[in-house]
Every structure is written in structure tokens, then in C-alpha cells.
Amino acid sequence: MYNEELKIYHSSYIRNARAIGVLWAIFTICFGIINLVVFIQPFWIGDSKNTPMTGHFGLYRYCLGRGLTQTLQCEGRLDDFNTIPSDAFKAATFFVGFSFLLILICIFCMLLFFCVHAEKVYKICMWLQIVSALCMFLACVIYPAGWDNSLVSGLCANGAEKYNRGDCTIRWAYILAIIGIFDAAILAALAFFLADRQEKLAFASHGLINGGPAAYGMGDRASISGRSIGSKRSFQPQPLAPEPTEAYNYHAEPLPLDRRTYQSKRRGSAAGSQISSSGAFYL
């Protein structure tokens, strides 16, 4: 009865872990898409109604209004860093690109679930997501240091300088990058939780195979090495049965007559002394 309940609990535990793992994989792919969009879209900062011209800036690409019609002309290429207007923009481009590369590796690492233990895959992805979140954080911190560029200050005006955007506004790509930092951090924490669950599932499966209680909250933790499965009380050494004495050894050879007489007299005297000590009878 106990093992049946344990198996039901174990099956439910596995289903929940798999469901959370699927959600983790889906949100990891979504973060990769967010990272790519943030990387290629030139909408980190842009004009407002108070700026003297129209335009917007991204990581490596920017668009500015030219002429009387303020037609947007976009410049900046990823394959030529000299076209990026600021060193801070170049550094931010590198960190966001590296963050996207790490997430891409993490997504490909999911294929390892078919040939490697899930706990190892989760731990690898956890570290990749931590470094990816760190790179995205550095990009968001470094990017405003390029606002003192002449092109940016020409668009934003009103004393635009490092970490001062002037009359420009923060656009959706910058906000999405900040959200991506927290997204990657949450995914890394979830990967750590799933790796820990996989370890507990290994303990639980070992306990079920050996007939002992599971390791997750139902009895003592089972040892994979097989030293202790179940509670300590069930493994207390039992006292050994006393070895039969020579008087009760019916398979032994019969004693000589004089020795049997001596032992019967000895047992009779012992019984008489016990009755005398109780105070009920006296010989």
C-alpha cells in the first residue's frame, strides 16, 4: 500500500517537472527571439516633439532625417564597425551580440536531453543564461555613454551628453532589452531549480527500485550507493538468539549416568532456592 502511494506521488512529481521543463524551454526560445529583435532594431532612443529633427538610434544602425522633407536615411553596418558612430555603441553591440550567441548555444544544448542526463543539461544552460543576462546588463549600462556623440547630440539637442538623452525619448527596443535582463535571470534560476529536481528524481527512482521510501519528503533520503535506503529504525541490528546449551542439545550424545544425576540434582537445588526466596513455600 505504501509503495503504491509512493509510485503515484513519484509519477505526479515527474509530470510536474517535465511540464515546468517544457515551459522553461519555450521561454528560453522566446528570450532568444527578444534578444535578436533588440540586436537588429534601431529603436533604442529616438526623436520627440521637442527635437529639431527626426531620427532614431539602435546599437549599430541609426536613421536620421535629411533635407526639408526629413526623409529618414539609415546608416551603420554590422560588418563594418567604423560605421558605428560611438565606441560605447560598439561595445553595446558586442555584448548584445554575444548574449544572443550564448542563448543560441543554450537552445542547441536542449538537443542533449536525448543523450545526456537532464541535470547536466540544465546546469549548462543555467550558466549560459547567467552570462547572457550579464552581457545584456553591461550593454544597457554602456549604451548611454555614447549619447555625447555629435550625431546623437544633433538629434537630441538640449545638452545631450553621456547618460543624458536631452530631448530624445527611450524607445521600445531599449525597454525590451532591460526586460530581457530579468527574463534571462529568471530562466537561469528556473534552470537551477529544475536541475535540483532532477537530482531528487534520481534519489526517488533509486528508492522505488530498492523498495525504500522516496527521497523527496517521505522518509530519510535514499543513498545512491545503497548504504542506507529507508529509515534508520528499520535497520537496527536484531539481538541474536542464544545458542542452545548442552542440556537442551537433543542431538548430542547422551551424558554418562553419574553426570546426568549431578546436573538433575543441581537443577533441583536451584529451583528449590527460587521457591524459598519467594516466601511462599519452605522445604
Side-chain angles (χ1 to χ4, degrees), residues 6-230:
L6 191 60
K7 289 179 181 178
I8 294 173
Y9 185 83
H10 181 256
S11 300
S12 176
Y13 197 84
I14 291 177
R15 284 196 301 269
N16 293 336
R18 288 178 178 174
I20 297 173
V22 170
L23 290 177
W24 170 83
I26 292 173
F27 284 117
T28 298
I29 295 173
C30 291
F31 174 68
I33 296 173
I34 290 173
N35 206 324
L36 180 61
V37 171
V38 165
F39 182 68
I40 64 177
Q41 290 297 321
F43 294 101
W44 282 54
I45 61 171
D47 56 32
S48 67
K49 61 181 181 179
N50 297 324
T51 55
M53 56 190 299
T54 60
H56 43 79
F57 285 83
L59 289 172
Y60 63 91
R61 189 170 177 82
Y62 61 94
C63 301
L64 295 174
R66 307 290 185 182
L68 296 176
T69 58
Q70 292 292 301
T71 303
L72 292 177
Q73 297 181 3
C74 297
E75 299 181 16
R77 295 186 308 172
L78 188 60
D79 58 347
D80 186 5
F81 265 42
N82 292 325
T83 60
I84 301 176
S86 172
D87 291 337
F89 289 1
K90 294 176 183 178
T93 300
F94 169 78
F95 282 118
V96 175
F98 189 64
S99 174
F100 173 70
L101 179 62
L102 292 175
I103 290 300
L104 198 61
I105 294 173
C106 180
I107 292 173
F108 280 111
C109 282
M110 294 179 187
L111 298 175
L112 297 176
F113 280 116
F114 298 101
C115 55
V116 181
H117 194 272
E119 179 187 354
K120 295 181 180 179
V121 179
Y122 281 129
K123 287 183 178 180
I124 292 172
C125 291
M126 176 191 70
W127 286 111
L128 290 173
Q129 289 169 345
I130 289 174
V131 178
S132 178
L134 181 61
C135 290
M136 187 69 76
F137 172 77
L138 291 175
C140 292
V141 171
I142 294 173
Y143 185 79
W147 291 348
D148 62 342
N149 183 267
S150 59
L151 294 175
V152 179
S153 60
L155 172 66
C156 298
N158 195 18
E161 56 183 0
K162 291 182 178 180
Y163 299 96
N164 183 7
R165 54 186 170 80
D167 289 332
C168 287
T169 58
I170 300 296
R171 295 295 181 90
W172 59 268
Y174 201 169
I175 297 173
L176 199 60
I178 296 173
I179 294 173
I181 298 172
F182 296 98
D183 188 13
I186 293 172
L187 288 173
L190 188 58
F192 174 79
F193 169 75
L194 290 171
D196 183 65
R197 269 209 165 191
Q198 291 299 320
E199 182 181 1
K200 291 182 178 180
L201 284 174
F203 279 121
S205 300
H206 187 79
L208 282 175
I209 292 172
N210 290 274
Y216 42 85
M218 300 185 70
D220 296 337
R221 173 166 287 194
S223 174
I224 291 183
S225 61
R227 293 182 180 178
S228 58
I229 304 296

Side-chain angles (χ1 to χ4, degrees), residues 233-243:
R233 183 179 300 176
S234 61
F235 284 92
Q236 289 180 353
Q238 300 297 329
L240 299 175
E243 296 181 359

